[in-house]
Amino acid sequence: MDTFNPFLISGYFGPEYFCDRKQETKNLLKALENGRNVTLLAPRRMGKTGLIKHVLHQAKIQNKDLQVFYIDIYSTRNLNDFVKLFATTVLGELDSASKKIWKKVGDFIKSFRPTLSFNELTGLPQVSVEMAPGMEENSLKEIFEYLTSSGKTCYIAFDEFQQIAEYPEKNVEALLRSYIQFIPNVHFIFSGSKQHVMQEMFLSAKKPFYQSTQSMVIDRIEQDTYYKFSAGFFPAKRPLSKEVFNFFYTRFNGHTWYMQCILNRLFSYTETIDEKTVRRALSEIVEESSYFYESLLTAYGSGISNLLKAIAKEGCVKEILAGEFIANHNLKAASSVRGLLKKAIDNELVYKTPEGYIVYDRFMAEWLRNRIF
């Protein structure tokens, strides 16, 4: 039987495979328990989704009557998509018997047609919906009325919440806020990775969600804590030394997903774990994405491509519009770099850290350094 790899790079398999975040978990649970909605910010792949699922898991353990829902809206493109996803996630989940589900849903849902079916694997009821164009606002209202009428305490997490700012409809934030502020039994986590968009949504006095939530930011897991967690899974005959762990923790600044990818690969090997093994793992991971990286550079054109190459070569750029940086890498004028930088940030190709600008995808940065220079 194959050994289960404990270093997950997607999904949530329980607290035993979840590293630390004890204080963040405590803070989130305390906020929700006391009726405070939360805005959770983190760079992409820092572990916010895992934290949300861990918090919902812990909350459910503490209160079995609690209803928890995780909804990733990253793939939605408009209000219609959002309402359909919201509806299929929550409808029917607050009632136990199938007949009761059908009646309760029918009592509140008038603007679109829910269809009740049964999952072939679990035998549990599930709801799908059909909605006529132009009925989104009525449908959304009915979903919130359904949640309110249940009287049950619910925690709902909307992941990648900044996506609603890109919907063609212009009133989505105000519409959601108008319902959320009057639903006392449901508490929300709004998480997002585009920090400038999320900050504008929740910290700007011009926006409907202004000061309506408790803000939280998560960063890397502390180095020693992450090492103890990781080393505990490696067998005695192939231990993970602190020196080797520190080597790639420092290289990737403890960024959770990249750490997990390397640890996952190292765990799958049979040889001794040393720096050479880490370099092999990194080389394999980067090489597997090389076609994607090539295509990405081609799609964005030479201006973005040259800027990414320059940032990757430096590793981290404090003064990206400085004449020295521009001249050293044969970039165009500062005004041109400024425009390219904005586009790169908006498309999550470049990320601004407190130390300076970096290539957002750290494996792509490795590829750029290894292949371009």
Side-chain angles (χ1 to χ4, degrees):
M1 182 178 178
D2 293 337
T3 302
F4 177 75
N5 195 316
F7 299 105
L8 308 174
I9 54 178
S10 65
Y12 176 77
F13 281 61
E16 61 269 36
Y17 304 111
F18 184 79
C19 179
D20 193 42
R21 302 287 190 202
K22 293 179 181 178
Q23 190 59 51
E24 295 95 328
T25 300
K26 181 179 178 181
N27 292 346
L28 267 170
L29 286 172
K30 187 174 182 179
L32 294 169
E33 288 165 3
N34 287 278
R36 299 192 298 272
N37 296 332
V38 179
T39 301
L40 183 65
L41 302 176
R44 190 176 300 283
R45 296 176 169 176
M46 188 59 80
K48 61 180 174 53
T49 298
L51 173 61
I52 291 168
K53 291 185 176 181
H54 181 67
V55 165
L56 296 181
H57 176 83
Q58 296 297 102
K60 189 70 175 175
I61 289 175
Q62 294 176 14
N63 180 2
K64 296 189 183 304
D65 293 327
L66 180 71
Q67 296 293 319
V68 299
F69 303 98
Y70 170 82
I71 307 174
D72 184 349
I73 68 169
Y74 185 73
S75 64
T76 62
R77 294 293 175 262
N78 50 48
L79 182 58
N80 189 286
D81 289 349
F82 176 89
V83 174
K84 282 184 177 179
L85 181 59
F86 193 11
T88 54
T89 302
V90 304
L91 292 184
E93 293 298 320
L94 305 182
D95 310 286
S96 55
S98 59
K99 289 183 178 179
K100 190 176 181 182
I101 289 175
W102 189 252
K103 182 179 184 305
K104 192 69 173 288
V105 171
D107 287 344
F108 287 92
I109 306 305
K110 308 295 184 185
S111 60
F112 60 88
R113 185 171 64 192
T115 302
L116 183 68
S117 60
F118 292 88
N119 187 293
E120 294 181 357
L121 296 177
T122 65
L124 297 174
Q126 57 189 17
V127 176
S128 58
V129 300
E130 293 181 17
M131 181 170 54
M135 299 301 292
E136 293 86 359
E137 293 190 16
N138 286 339
S139 300
L140 189 63
K141 179 183 178 182
E142 290 166 358
I143 296 170
F144 278 105
E145 287 175 345
Y146 170 76
L147 288 167
T148 304
S149 72
S150 74
K152 293 184 177 181
T153 301
C154 304
Y155 293 169
I156 298 178
F158 287 119
D159 205 357
E160 301 300 345
F161 190 67
Q162 75 275 343
Q163 189 66 26
I164 70 169
E166 299 183 18
Y167 292 171
E169 301 87 357
K170 302 302 180 186
N171 65 335
V172 177
E173 291 177 50
L175 190 64
L176 286 172
R177 175 77 172 116
S178 68
Y179 297 130
I180 287 170
Q181 65 182 329
F182 296 118
I183 185 165
N185 58 308
V186 183
H187 312 302
F188 297 86
I189 299 173
F190 306 100
S191 71
S193 54
K194 287 190 175 182
Q195 295 196 36
H196 62 292
V197 179
M198 292 289 289
Q199 288 170 352
E200 173 71 12
M201 291 172 68
F202 289 92
L203 300 180
S204 170
K206 299 177 182 179
K207 294 292 188 175
F209 279 100
Y210 175 60
Q211 292 188 341
S212 64
T213 65
Q214 174 180 324
S215 295
M216 281 185 59
V217 178
I218 64 169
D219 202 345
R220 74 207 77 169
I221 298 169
E222 194 273 333
Q223 189 165 340
D224 286 343
T225 301
Y226 207 160
Y227 169 68
K228 290 175 184 177
F229 168 83
S230 303
F233 287 109
F234 282 84
K237 62 182 180 181
R238 287 192 310 109
L240 175 66
S241 72
K242 193 168 186 178
E243 291 72 23
V244 170
F245 178 86
N246 290 348
F247 167 67
F248 60 89
Y249 182 97
T250 301
R251 188 160 183 158
F252 291 94
N253 206 24
H255 201 126
T256 309
W257 188 80
Y258 302 98
M259 295 290 296
Q260 290 292 110
C261 282
I262 295 170
L263 287 163
N264 178 282
R265 199 66 60 117
L266 294 177
F267 188 84
S268 70
Y269 295 159
T270 57
E271 63 262 43
T272 302
I273 306 300
D274 54 21
E275 285 192 16
K276 182 179 178 181
T277 320
V278 174
R279 294 182 190 280
R280 172 193 162 191
L282 183 55
S283 176
E284 287 180 0
I285 294 168
V286 170
E287 183 62 29
E288 288 162 6
S289 296
S290 61
Y291 178 79
F292 167 75
Y293 295 146
E294 290 276 13
S295 300
L296 194 65
L297 291 186
T298 301
Y300 279 102
S302 60
I304 291 286
S305 177
N306 290 335
L307 179 61
L308 292 176
K309 294 174 186 178
I311 296 172
K313 188 172 184 179
E314 296 282 338
C316 182
V317 183
K318 184 72 173 177
E319 302 291 341
I320 203 163
L321 299 178
E324 182 179 0
F325 171 74
I326 292 172
N328 286 345
H329 298 283
N330 298 314
L331 300 176
K332 293 183 179 180
S335 59
S336 175
V337 172
R338 184 182 288 108
L340 292 169
L341 179 63
K342 183 182 185 304
K343 184 177 180 181
I345 291 173
D346 288 345
N347 287 280
E348 297 187 293
L349 298 172
V350 171
Y351 181 74
K352 186 179 181 182
T353 71
E355 295 77 27
Y357 296 91
I358 63 171
V359 175
Y360 208 153
D361 184 333
R362 292 170 183 263
F363 288 151
M364 184 179 186
E366 292 284 332
W367 176 80
L368 286 166
R369 283 192 289 270
N370 293 339
R371 294 300 184 93
I372 304 299
F373 306 107

